[in-house]
Amino acid sequence: MRAPLLLLTVLVATSTGMAFGQMKLSPRAAPGANDVRYFTAIDGLMDGSADVVLKETRQGKTLTSATLDVCYPVAKGSDRKDRFVVNLAINGQTLSGTTQSIGGKLPVTVKLTRKPAGENFEFKGQISVGQTVTEVNSTDNSDISEREFQESQTSDDGITPSPKDFTEVSPEAIGVRVKLDAAPDFLKSLKGQDVEVSLSSLAVTCDVLRAGEQTITLSADPDRAAALIAKFKSVPGVIATGWTTGIIEMDRTIRFSATGWRDGDRLNKDKLAAAIANALAGALSAKPATSTWNSSNGKLKLTFKRANELYPALDLTDTVEVTALVASEKPGGSDRLILWVGSPVISTADETSGPALNLANDSTGDEEGNQKDDNGTVDALAKEFKGQRWDADKSVWK
């Protein structure tokens, strides 16, 4: 017979794909001590789309308490989630309990049979949520330690309140971690403001539901980002705010002196746009067409025109679109600026007078052209602004 000595452990969610065999085992619990373990997979729930955490407390081999936490889509294929947490009564091998779902307030009934299967366990039974009944038949379930579970639950929200510069976070990108019940009011407060909210950050995932906190990401003109972050700190329900990752890629960024590119404390955007357009026009062998600064995210959108050489007799025209961003190299101002430029996006059309040839802009033949054009744009900007490129191997400007 096995001695009633189990690890004080917590089971990591299988959806993380972590290799449990590589984890260090926790010290064995003292005889008679409570042993907490977690299961995070019970097959078949909600068409296999449920995120499950079953917490058990044992003394030796005797199960003394169990709590089932299930997060699931409100409808098949839906991005919206609901969740229920139920304390289970223990009667021999039977676990049962009732509750209601947190979001939809639907009645929930759980009745499971739990049986040891060697080192692992199997669960069979039914779980009903409202009118939906799920048959449970899950075998070969293993468990891990509380320490391991807690380590798996910790996540980095990516927010940096006081970055030393903008080499690891982006000057236009703001992250706001807010209590879940305060998130709707916070988001409503952004209506009418010159900011862009990332749609993907609005998703209320199972992790968000369990943590009770949501991280909203948004973009703003770098000139206003610091003031917005300071403002958000005092908003009810906000836990943390700062800069986060955004569009800046260091291999497509240059650094140059701010001298001559500011009017007082503000960027001279007209002058910058003209210089950027001039440099890119040469690299792209194209003529500048339009330039527009976006007041919400601070990006500069440039378009260029040039003759398409694929079939000269048709006199087709390429439109090349490029996005750029200019900001101080660090929060609080600096005597140097950084300039990021995105990869050119090229479309071709018949812009001749009279009836036009309808064209489908597919990738055939364009990928090599894009790469050829892309190779010169950052270097052209570095030359125009007498700037430095980023050395990724040494993590320094060169």
Side-chain angles (χ1 to χ4, degrees):
M1 179 180 291
R2 292 170 51 196
L5 304 176
L6 297 175
L7 302 176
L8 178 61
T9 57
V10 188
L11 190 66
V12 177
T14 58
S15 60
T16 62
M18 297 181 66
F20 298 141
Q22 297 177 356
M23 296 182 176
K24 295 182 179 180
L25 296 177
S26 302
R28 289 186 176 272
N34 285 336
D35 183 12
V36 180
R37 307 189 72 86
Y38 285 71
F39 296 92
T40 56
I42 297 179
D43 296 338
L45 287 185
M46 286 67 181
D47 297 318
S49 59
D51 184 318
V52 182
V53 177
L54 172 61
K55 178 181 179 180
E56 294 188 350
T57 303
R58 310 171 193 163
Q59 284 190 338
K61 292 184 177 180
T62 303
L63 181 63
T64 59
S65 69
T67 301
L68 180 64
D69 181 335
V70 179
C71 176
Y72 56 94
V74 296
K76 188 174 182 179
S78 174
D79 290 330
R80 289 183 57 231
K81 308 290 184 182
D82 201 351
R83 175 184 174 222
F84 66 81
V85 181
V86 56
N87 292 323
L88 300 174
I90 303 165
N91 184 8
Q93 293 183 330
T94 302
L95 309 179
S96 61
T98 59
T99 186
Q100 69 175 10
S101 63
I102 295 172
K105 308 301 181 184
L106 298 174
V108 176
T109 301
V110 178
K111 188 173 183 179
L112 299 174
T113 300
R114 169 190 179 275
K115 293 181 180 180
E119 292 294 322
N120 296 331
F121 294 81
E122 65 178 35
F123 296 93
K124 296 182 179 181
Q126 289 184 335
I127 297 179
S128 64
V129 180
Q131 299 300 313
T132 303
V133 179
T134 300
E135 298 292 335
V136 179
N137 187 5
S138 181
T139 61
D140 200 27
N141 296 286
S142 58
D143 52 8
I144 65 170
S145 72
E146 186 165 11
R147 175 181 58 81
E148 291 162 347
F149 179 76
Q150 295 301 333
E151 287 175 354
S152 76
Q153 298 305 296
T154 57
S155 60
D156 183 5
D157 58 17
I159 296 173
T160 305
S162 302
K164 62 182 179 60
D165 55 33
F166 290 123
T167 56
E168 295 186 359
V169 293
S170 206
E172 89 296 348
I174 298 172
V176 183
R177 183 154 51 93
V178 59
K179 292 180 180 178
L180 190 55
D181 57 1
D185 286 340
F186 172 74
L187 289 166
K188 289 176 182 178
S189 74
L190 299 179
K191 289 187 174 184
Q193 295 195 35
D194 255 350
V195 297
E196 285 184 349
V197 178
S198 169
L199 184 62
S200 62
S201 72
L202 299 182
V204 181
T205 64
C206 292
D207 288 341
V208 168
L209 285 174
R210 290 189 173 120
E213 300 172 358
Q214 186 171 12
T215 298
I216 307 296
T217 55
L218 52 95
S219 299
D221 190 314
D223 284 346
R224 296 185 290 107
L228 285 170
I229 289 169
K231 175 184 176 181
F232 294 154
K233 287 179 181 179
S234 62
V235 173
V238 170
I239 301 166
T241 183
W243 284 269
T244 188
T245 54
I247 63 170
I248 292 289
E249 301 169 274
M250 295 310 296
D251 62 341
R252 301 196 58 77
T253 303
I254 66 169
R255 182 177 74 161
F256 59 99
S257 172
T259 302
W261 300 106
R262 284 194 176 118
D263 286 332
D265 294 333
R266 312 285 293 182
L267 295 176
N268 188 328
K269 291 188 173 182
D270 289 341
K271 185 177 180 180
L272 282 164
I276 294 169
N278 179 66
L280 294 181
L284 297 169
S285 300
K287 294 181 179 180
T290 63
S291 65
T292 307
W293 291 92
N294 187 311
S295 62
S296 294
N297 57 33
K299 298 175 187 175
L300 170 64
K301 180 180 177 180
L302 298 159
T303 60
F304 303 84
K305 299 284 186 177
R306 69 185 180 192
N308 179 276
E309 299 178 354
L310 182 63
Y311 206 105
L314 291 176
D315 290 329
L316 301 178
T317 300
D318 285 341
T319 299
V320 186
E321 182 178 309
V322 182
T323 301
L325 183 76
V326 184
S328 172
E329 71 163 337
K330 60 184 179 181
S334 170
D335 59 357
R336 294 183 180 182
L337 301 175
I338 56 172
L339 164 59
W340 167 85
V341 61
S343 298
V345 178
I346 304 170
S347 59
T348 304
D350 182 355
E351 297 182 358
T352 58
S353 59
L357 183 68
N358 292 323
L359 298 173
N361 279 273
D362 50 40
S363 59
T364 304
D366 286 347
E367 291 180 359
E368 290 183 2
N370 274 332
Q371 186 61 40
K372 178 182 176 182
D373 292 331
D374 193 54
N375 285 342
T377 51
V378 183
D379 287 335
L381 290 169
K383 181 178 179 181
E384 176 77 18
F385 288 90
K386 300 180 177 59
Q388 300 171 288
R389 297 288 303 272
W390 180 253
D391 188 328
D393 293 332
K394 298 180 180 179
S395 295
V396 294
W397 293 101
K398 60 180 179 179

